[in-house]
Amino acid sequence: MTTVLVFLDHPGASLAKGERELLSLAGSLGDVAVALADDAEQTYLDGVGSYGVQECYRPDTDVSEVLVAGKAAFLAEAARSAAADVVLLGNSYEAKEIAARAGIRLEAGVVTDVVSLDSDLVATKADFAGSYTVGCRVTTARAILTVKPNSFDAVQAGTPQAPREIRVPVGAVTPAARITGRVDKPVSGRPDLTEARVIVAGGRGVDGDFGPLEDLADALGGAVGASRAATDAGWIEHSAQVGQTGKTVAPQLYVSVGISGAVQQRAGMQTSKVIVAINKDSDSPIFEIADFGIVGDLFSVLPQATEEIRKRGL
């Protein structure tokens, strides 16, 4: 039987959507254990156990103050202790770095940006800025995979119950850099950009006014994203950037507003299930990959769309 270890890094009071997807995917592959880097509330641990997880590996020391080095060392030791055949992580920049470092320690193959996975562990991912879809399979005994949110369905949880805790000794990690402080991101009430099922993203064409985009996103229960041009202009925080140098997303619906669709931007959203493009320029490259396109003024189109959505109660 395949043993799957799921790495969870930022527990809150309850499991996030992306974490539920990872646990569901793991359950479809074999027996599931969890490697938990930080302390967690009891409700969170009960939620982990509700997905059939019997064992939760925890570090015997604080590994969160030395950037990713301590977490990678802990994950490698947890994978050895669990005799894991497959290790699953999220797809954030930090998760990819942890996967790479753990892969070196374990001499394991690493595949990032996974959007589908078959029973033989052949992973599908996009490469070269989304220009190609490729199938990858590691040639080592152990596979480490980082999985894009919204790529797998989260199954219904079972009865809440806390898994058995196993402490894993982590050797001393000499940090090249140390965290000296943290600043909490303001709470917007919208879903996290990388986990959102709907994203409304704006570019240079919004001319600094994200109000209509925020209204549409709120009507759809979605998140607000942006191109690099918009974040560099200071119109929205850099954490909202989608693209090759920003975040990679794969929502069910991606609404591109006033974005030309250069390859750098497309690399971050091209795997979205449905893409709707709104742009005044009918020759914008974004229309090449859009499922639906609207040539028009966003300040006219978006308010009408938002009003209609709210009227229908969608």
Side-chain angles (χ1 to χ4, degrees):
M1 187 71 173
T2 300
T3 300
V4 185
L5 181 68
V6 178
F7 180 73
L8 302 178
D9 193 11
H10 299 292
S14 60
L15 288 168
K17 177 175 174 290
E19 293 173 324
R20 297 197 303 271
E21 292 170 356
L22 282 177
L23 291 170
S24 299
L25 171 61
S28 71
L29 298 174
D31 293 330
V32 186
V34 158
L36 186 59
D38 287 313
D39 292 332
E41 297 181 22
Q42 189 60 48
T43 53
Y44 184 91
L45 295 173
D46 290 343
V48 169
S50 71
Y51 280 87
V53 178
Q54 299 295 317
E55 297 176 338
C56 176
Y57 292 86
R58 301 284 302 282
D60 65 348
T61 185
D62 184 7
V63 296
S64 62
E65 295 302 316
V66 289
L67 296 180
V68 297
K71 295 174 183 177
F74 158 62
L75 179 58
E77 291 305 319
R80 292 190 182 101
S81 297
D85 304 294
V86 181
V87 179
L88 300 180
L89 303 90
N91 202 58
S92 66
Y93 284 124
E94 183 171 305
K96 292 179 185 179
E97 179 74 10
I98 293 170
R101 289 173 178 257
I104 292 173
R105 288 174 174 267
L106 295 168
E107 296 184 346
V110 178
V111 181
T112 61
D113 304 303
V114 174
V115 296
S116 69
L117 187 68
D118 68 17
S119 58
D120 293 325
L121 298 183
V122 176
T124 301
K125 59 174 291 184
D127 259 336
F128 296 103
S131 300
Y132 298 93
T133 299
V134 297
C136 307
R137 191 179 193 281
V138 304
T139 58
T140 55
R142 181 179 282 124
I144 300 178
L145 311 173
T146 71
V147 181
K148 280 188 176 183
N150 297 316
S151 299
F152 298 88
D153 293 330
V155 302
Q156 186 71 30
T159 303
Q161 57 180 4
R164 179 170 64 95
E165 182 179 292
I166 301 174
R167 288 285 176 173
V168 177
V170 180
V173 178
T174 303
R178 182 177 295 278
I179 297 172
T180 59
R182 292 183 173 89
V183 177
D184 291 336
K185 180 181 177 182
V187 177
S188 67
R190 300 187 182 100
D192 182 82
L193 187 63
T194 57
E195 294 187 353
R197 294 177 64 83
V198 177
I199 294 175
V200 181
R204 200 186 306 274
V206 308
D207 198 23
D209 184 3
F210 271 79
L213 285 74
E214 293 171 345
D215 289 344
L216 179 60
D218 291 341
L220 293 170
V224 176
S227 69
R228 180 169 180 173
T231 59
D232 285 350
W235 299 338
I236 192 169
E237 65 272 11
H238 281 279
S239 61
Q241 183 184 334
V242 174
Q244 196 165 26
T245 55
K247 293 179 178 177
T248 301
V249 298
Q252 297 296 313
L253 172 62
Y254 186 92
V255 183
S256 173
V257 183
I259 300 176
S260 65
V263 65
Q264 292 86 352
Q265 212 278 328
R266 290 161 58 169
M269 45 68 71
Q270 195 156 278
T271 55
S272 303
K273 302 299 185 295
V274 177
I275 300 172
V276 176
I278 303 170
N279 201 296
K280 289 193 294 187
D281 183 1
S282 60
D283 294 325
S284 290
I286 190 65
F287 289 119
E288 297 174 4
I289 63 168
D291 297 287
F292 302 95
I294 300 173
V295 179
D297 184 351
L298 68 92
F299 296 105
S300 172
V301 173
L302 292 190
Q304 294 180 64
T306 302
E307 182 182 359
E308 190 65 25
I309 288 168
R310 286 178 172 156
K311 185 187 301 180
R312 299 188 180 206
L314 299 177

